[in-house]
């Protein structure tokens, strides 16, 4: 077989550059190490002053300011999440040299359980939030096949809070000590809070989706079409019902759609018959249009009239075909990252009782998505 012209020599020339580039990286690493140690010496000095004056070692406001300043200076290619990881490590080391006696407890652990979970945006979103608010802790992704055993792990390891994702949102419920009434109605838990060994289940998709909508529209009295009848549709459906929106469920399969419409006491239209406009808000709660099926869309563009608020739960790609159609028709659009971030903020606040830094979380997620 013929080799492509110049192919191998180009590869060889490219490879020849690697030692030189590595040498450059080693030299930069030497400088980073030197600078971090200089930073730690200053931090230790501050720690001594704090000890003399009795001031607290951890100053979350100052840590937040450090991040804000560097975020505004960062021109990339370092992502927001990457900046938080690196600086979070430096700040943790700084706290270590300030607190000579050392931490009494291991930092809290938060986690996501799901399968698949390798591409989850949650670690970057929550670790950025933890660092920005000056809280100790790490958020880790676990690929979980056996949810019963994994819930035992929360108890055994003292994991402080857990996000639950596909396929465990329903099955996890039977292993918890308490399930919040709204999550019970929705029939799915995506948030676990460990309060002194007692595991409480919540559904943050519901308030998260409502908050994402409320950024762009009111809900009371609005005619809302929800396309889909799975977990996401149930979560937003109960939220919109609570806000007194007038819901219609549109679903591909009749029995599932009719069941949700019955639970919400609202109308149902089979997807094949949906096409007439007349809604103030249209929500895609199906995976149609999700990578790698970017060209799919759940509904015909005719349903999307100018002025309609159109929200997609899919966030990869950020601008789905559904949202592109909506923009073309003059609709107001809300992407899936809005819901992701708002439901994340609800989880963060349940776990930490601190106000979530929503804008930082959004930026970390958007950066991560655009760097993939
Ligand atoms: P689910 O429980 O599996 O339900 C999927 C629903 O979509 C079902 O009603 C299904 O209809 C319908 N559906 C699936 N493929 C379709 C297609 N090609 N055309 C039309 N309808 C289709 O899933 P889910 O948990 O509700 O999640 C739905 C989407 O929302 C996913 O993409 C998920 O990633 C996303 N989501 C995002 C967030 C966020 O924070 N942004 C939160 C939750 C979920 P049948 O009943 O006919 O099967």
């Amino acid at each position: 077989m013929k080799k492509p012209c110049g192919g191998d020599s180009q590869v060889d020339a490219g490879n020849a550059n690697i030692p030189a580039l590595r040498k450059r990286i080693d030299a930069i690493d030497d400088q980073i190490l030197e600078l971090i140690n200089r930073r730690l010496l200053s931090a230790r000095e501050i720690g001594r002053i704090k000890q003399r004056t009795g001031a607290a070692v951890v100053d979350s406001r100052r840590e937040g300011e450090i991040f804000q300043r560097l975020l505004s200076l960062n021109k990339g290619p370092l992502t927001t999440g990457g900046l938080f990881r690196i600086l979070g490590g430096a700040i943790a080391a700084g706290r270590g040299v300030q607190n000579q006696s050392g931490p009494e407890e291991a930092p809290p652990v938060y986690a996501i359980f799901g399968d698949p979970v390798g591409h989850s945006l949650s670690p970057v979103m929550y670790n950025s939030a933890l660092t920005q608010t000056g809280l100790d802790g790490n958020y880790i992704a676990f690929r979980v096949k056996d949810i019963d055993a994994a819930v035992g792990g929360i108890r055994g390891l003292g994991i402080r809070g857990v996000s639950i994702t596909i396929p465990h949102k329903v099955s996890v419920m039977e292993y918890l000590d308490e399930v919040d009434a709204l999550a019970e109605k929705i029939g799915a838990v995506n948030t676990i809070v460990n309060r002194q060994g007692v595991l409480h289940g919540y559904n943050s998709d519901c308030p998260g989706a409502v908050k994402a909508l409320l950024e762009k529209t009111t809900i009371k009295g609005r005619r809302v079409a929800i396309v889909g009848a799975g977990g996401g549709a149930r979560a937003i459906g109960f939220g919109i019902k609570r806000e007194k929106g007038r819901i219609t469920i549109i679903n591909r399969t009749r029995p599932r759609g009719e069941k949700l419409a019955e639970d919400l006491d609202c109308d149902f239209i089979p997807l094949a018959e949906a096409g007439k406009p007349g809604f103030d808000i249209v929500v895609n709660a199906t995976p149609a249009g999700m990578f790698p099926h970017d060209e799919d869309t759940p509904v015909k563009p005719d349903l999307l009239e100018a002025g309609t608020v159109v929200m997609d739960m899919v966030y990869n790609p950020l601008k789905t075909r559904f949202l592109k159609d909506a923009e073309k028709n003059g609709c107001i659009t809300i992407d899936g990252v809005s819901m992701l971030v708002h439901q994340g903020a609800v989880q963060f606040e349940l776990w930490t009782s601190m106000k979530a830094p929503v804008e930082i979380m959004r930026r970390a997620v958007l950066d991560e998505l655009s760097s993939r």
Side-chain angles (χ1 to χ4, degrees), residues 228-232 251-253 256 271 285-287 290 313 315 336 339-340:
N251 198 46
R252 189 175 59 177
T253 312
R256 204 176 183 190
L271 183 59
T286 82
M290 191 161 82
M313 286 197 186
Y315 51 77
M339 173 172 168
L340 178 72

Side-chain angles (χ1 to χ4, degrees), residues 166-210:
I166 287 170
H168 303 305
K169 287 186 187 181
V170 178
S171 54
V172 73
M173 295 173 77
E174 65 174 294
Y175 305 109
L176 304 178
D177 302 312
E178 308 262 345
V179 173
D180 153 81
L182 180 63
E184 194 80 63
K185 254 197 237 170
I186 294 166
V189 158
N190 76 334
T191 311
I192 300 174
V193 185
N194 183 353
R195 296 195 181 101
Q196 278 85 43
V198 182
L199 303 189
H200 299 254
Y202 297 89
N203 188 303
S204 70
D205 281 338
C206 174
V210 167

Side-chain angles (χ1 to χ4, degrees), residues 93-231:
R95 283 186 195 171
V97 297
Q98 289 194 358
N99 189 0
Q100 298 298 333
S101 55
E104 283 177 7
E105 281 183 36
V109 172
Y110 305 90
I112 179 166
F113 292 172
D115 185 19
V117 85
H119 283 92
S120 172
L121 295 162
S122 296
V124 80
M125 179 168 79
Y126 292 105
N127 283 320
S128 300
L130 285 167
T131 317
Q132 168 67 27
T133 42
L135 289 171
D136 248 355
N138 291 299
Y139 183 102
I140 304 162
F142 289 101
R143 183 175 179 198
V144 165
K145 296 216 173 284
D146 180 344
I147 191 66
D148 179 6
V151 171
I154 303 176
R155 298 180 198 278
L157 299 169
I159 296 176
R160 199 70 71 81
V162 178
S163 316
I164 300 291
T165 188
I166 287 170
H168 303 305
K169 287 186 187 181
V170 178
S171 54
V172 73
M173 295 173 77
E174 65 174 294
Y175 305 109
L176 304 178
D177 302 312
E178 308 262 345
V179 173
D180 153 81
L182 180 63
E184 194 80 63
K185 254 197 237 170
I186 294 166
V189 158
N190 76 334
T191 311
I192 300 174
V193 185
N194 183 353
R195 296 195 181 101
Q196 278 85 43
V198 182
L199 303 189
H200 299 254
Y202 297 89
N203 188 303
S204 70
D205 281 338
C206 174
V210 167
K211 275 194 186 160
L213 271 178
L214 288 174
E215 279 185 336
K216 294 278 172 87
T217 177
T218 55
I219 296 175
K220 191 173 177 186
R222 302 267 183 218
R223 298 158 300 170
V224 187
I226 300 174
V227 188

